[in-house]
Amino acid sequence: MMDLGLSAGPADADLIKDGSEATFTQDVIEASQTVPIIVDFWAPWCGPCKTLGPMLEDAVKAAKGAVKMIKINVDEAQMIAGQLQIQSIPTVYAFFKGQPVDGFQGALPGSELTAFIERVIKAAGGEAPGDTLNDAVAAAEEMLAEGAAVDAAQTFAAILGEDPNHAGAYGGLVRAHIAMEDLDQAEAILNGAPAEISESAELEAAHAQLQLARQAADAGPVAELRAAVEADDGNLQARFDLAQALHASGDAESAVNELLEIFRRDREWNDGAAKEQLFTIFDALKPNDPVVLNGRRKLSSMIFA
């Protein structure tokens, strides 16, 4: 795995441990002078605690030492629970520099726990692992844009080694293999995406790019197809083929214009193939791309005319 500047982090035993009233000052107040301490107030009879605790531990481990966690059984630490006015459990507090800086009551979903941990890290002036991974994704995207598809693929794969559900890295890995013209591998990677991110915008874009790449392999010569359209202006199949060839040659704007012309002439032609192809091109590009913005505007004006 490539080095993304993320250390393996301390052992779990150093990150998460049980605390007590006797050790609270040392484990929380003193320890939080250098690193944020997450304190989980729980009890053995508390059902939601049994759900939250393991999820919170996973979120702390994922932070790789940027925060630590102390578990306090309120049945054995009633004085501290009273001092902190804990009225229900689970209750979680984050301490930094000896003071509570954030907290919540009740069980939260995993995404909100991750956001809580990142918020605490940033409040303490640290950098959340997600920020570092996003920086690595941006660097890999630059490699891909500059034509270094192999290096980009290695970087995307390394990011996924840190976070298998990083949609940006997953979509990037698919697109890197498309750039290497390894379409079967790109499709295999796409089909193996975790369910949690399978419908993300990043993977939808990668899927659209794969569709277009497969079409490009069968696209005809632009000059011949343009001549066919000029010879028979009403030949919508030739115009559609021309649009595919134009996109394959890198001219997305002209491809969109030809597809819009087909839609203007006969929006139901070939079961709405022109509109479907337009959406595939739009999905493959960034949402703020001028080709997408102008194309969607023109399509909308035709639909609602």
Side-chain angles (χ1 to χ4, degrees):
M1 184 183 302
M2 291 181 62
D3 181 9
L4 297 178
L6 297 174
S7 63
D12 293 347
D14 295 327
L15 294 176
I16 302 165
K17 64 180 182 179
D18 293 316
S20 66
E21 287 188 344
T23 63
F24 189 84
T25 297
Q26 177 182 347
D27 289 342
V28 179
I29 304 303
E30 295 178 2
S32 69
Q33 298 299 320
T34 55
V35 63
I37 304 296
I38 307 296
V39 185
D40 177 22
F41 293 94
W42 68 287
W45 45 264
C46 168
C49 297
K50 296 176 182 178
T51 300
L52 176 68
M55 295 174 62
L56 187 57
E57 290 184 25
D58 288 342
V60 169
K61 292 173 186 175
K64 299 185 181 299
V67 296
K68 295 185 178 182
M69 176 176 169
I70 300 295
K71 298 183 290 183
I72 300 288
N73 182 346
V74 295
D75 287 346
E76 300 173 353
Q78 295 183 14
M79 184 177 69
I80 292 176
Q83 290 174 342
L84 293 173
Q85 299 181 340
I86 294 173
Q87 298 177 346
S88 66
I89 54 173
T91 289
V92 175
Y93 278 122
F95 284 79
F96 186 61
K97 300 294 185 183
Q99 299 295 323
V101 294
D102 206 339
F104 63 87
Q105 290 183 337
L108 296 181
S111 60
E112 292 188 30
L113 287 179
T114 300
F116 168 73
I117 296 294
E118 291 183 351
R119 196 165 62 242
V120 170
I121 294 171
K122 291 180 179 179
E127 184 178 61
D131 295 336
T132 303
L133 292 182
N134 290 336
D135 289 343
V137 168
E141 291 288 0
E142 287 186 17
M143 296 176 197
L144 191 55
E146 293 170 358
V150 174
D151 291 340
Q154 291 176 346
T155 304
F156 286 129
I159 295 165
L160 292 172
E162 299 286 347
D163 180 2
N165 289 341
H166 197 297
Y170 214 101
L173 184 59
V174 174
R175 289 184 287 105
H177 280 278
I178 293 173
M180 289 187 278
E181 299 184 355
D182 190 353
L183 303 188
D184 290 341
Q185 181 63 16
E187 184 171 10
I189 294 169
L190 193 58
N191 290 338
E196 295 87 342
I197 61 172
S198 61
E199 296 183 2
S200 65
E202 292 88 348
L203 267 69
E204 291 290 345
H207 180 261
Q209 289 190 23
L210 180 60
Q211 285 184 276
L212 293 170
R214 289 206 180 281
Q215 292 175 6
D218 299 323
V222 171
E224 291 183 12
L225 291 168
R226 194 184 301 279
V229 171
E230 291 173 352
D232 182 359
D233 190 58
N235 188 340
L236 298 187
Q237 182 62 58
R239 193 178 293 276
F240 187 85
D241 293 343
L242 173 60
Q244 288 188 328
L246 286 167
H247 191 278
S249 69
D251 191 352
E253 183 175 9
S254 294
V256 166
N257 288 337
E258 294 297 342
L259 292 167
L260 287 170
E261 180 61 18
I262 295 173
F263 187 82
R264 186 188 68 80
R265 289 169 180 252
D266 183 357
R267 63 182 60 190
E268 299 302 328
W269 174 78
N270 198 14
D271 295 327
K275 183 179 178 182
E276 182 179 346
Q277 184 73 355
L278 281 167
F279 284 144
T280 299
I281 293 175
F282 295 158
D283 287 344
L285 297 170
K286 294 181 179 179
N288 61 350
D289 189 299
V291 172
V292 176
L293 297 176
N294 293 332
R296 287 190 184 278
R297 177 177 53 78
K298 291 176 182 178
L299 179 62
S300 295
S301 67
M302 292 181 191
I303 292 174
F304 298 108

